[in-house]
Amino acid sequence: MNFSSLAIWALVLYFAALFFSLIYRSQVITGPWLFLLRCFFPNWRFFHGMGHVPTLFVRYSNAEKTWSPWQSTIPHARRSLLQLLHNPAINLALANQNLVDHFSADIQVLNEEQDVQQLVTYQLIMRHARNYLQQHYPSLAIQHYQFQLTLMAPPTGKHEDATVLTSPAIAW
């Protein structure tokens, strides 16, 4: 058996498995050990339909103790042809959005006796919010900051946004 026929059989087997997985519905497999291996498997849940999108907002207070308005930490990116070859800013934004998605998933499975501030994703989100403010407002004298996780409704207009968590004021 040569390489080309082996490749064809592998491709046929792949599409057969894909077809079988589309027809046969099973329960979603979850668990702490599988969660550690998530980087090896793509997440296809975004194909199931439109739903709420976890979005992180931040705000800060200055020396006068006035709070700024809430602003999203992951703004829409401007695209250019050069980004096909070199795209570190968008890759970082995607990694940050992936962190927000994992934080939202961690909150959903959190037990009532667990403290959300003990989650690793909470600590990472806290650092992400601080870094965002440092990058966008380097000259301001920020005293405190807060972040808020909100589930943004799809643009269909049938649902409303839902605030999942608002952090306490964190000293700078």
Side-chain angles (χ1 to χ4, degrees):
M1 189 178 266
N2 61 14
F3 178 74
S4 64
S5 62
L6 184 64
I8 289 173
W9 277 109
L11 194 61
V12 167
L13 183 65
Y14 169 75
F15 281 113
L18 184 63
F19 180 73
F20 178 72
S21 70
L22 289 173
I23 291 176
Y24 179 72
R25 297 281 182 188
S26 65
Q27 292 184 352
V28 176
I29 300 170
T30 60
W33 293 105
L34 188 63
F35 188 70
L36 294 173
L37 299 173
R38 68 182 179 234
C39 64
F40 295 111
F41 304 104
N43 184 358
W44 295 102
R45 284 190 296 169
F46 58 87
F47 286 123
H48 288 252
M50 292 179 61
H52 288 79
V53 177
T55 307
L56 187 72
F57 292 93
V58 295
R59 70 178 184 169
Y60 61 89
S61 70
N62 53 18
E64 292 85 32
K65 295 186 174 44
T66 57
W67 285 96
S68 69
W70 291 104
Q71 53 191 317
S72 175
T73 61
I74 305 183
H76 292 286
R78 291 174 285 183
R79 300 182 189 267
S80 71
L81 193 57
L82 180 62
Q83 291 175 342
L84 289 173
L85 302 173
H86 185 65
N87 199 1
I90 303 252
N91 288 340
L92 180 61
L94 287 172
N96 289 334
Q97 182 59 43
N98 191 25
L99 173 63
V100 172
D101 291 342
H102 283 295
F103 180 52
S104 176
D106 285 350
I107 289 175
Q108 289 176 3
V109 298
L110 192 68
N111 295 334
E112 289 186 23
E113 61 269 1
Q114 289 179 304
D115 183 18
V116 70
Q117 294 182 0
Q118 299 303 316
L119 294 173
V120 173
T121 50
Y122 182 92
Q123 302 294 323
L124 291 171
I125 289 289
M126 192 168 69
R127 287 181 181 97
H128 167 60
R130 184 180 175 102
N131 287 338
Y132 175 84
L133 292 172
Q134 282 177 338
Q135 289 176 354
H136 288 83
Y137 305 103
S139 61
L140 289 180
I142 297 175
Q143 298 294 316
H144 293 89
Y145 69 101
Q146 278 185 301
F147 61 88
Q148 182 179 70
L149 180 67
T150 302
L151 296 177
M152 301 297 289
T156 59
K158 295 180 183 177
H159 305 285
E160 294 182 8
D161 298 342
T163 299
V164 176
L165 176 116
T166 302
S167 73
I170 304 165
W172 192 257

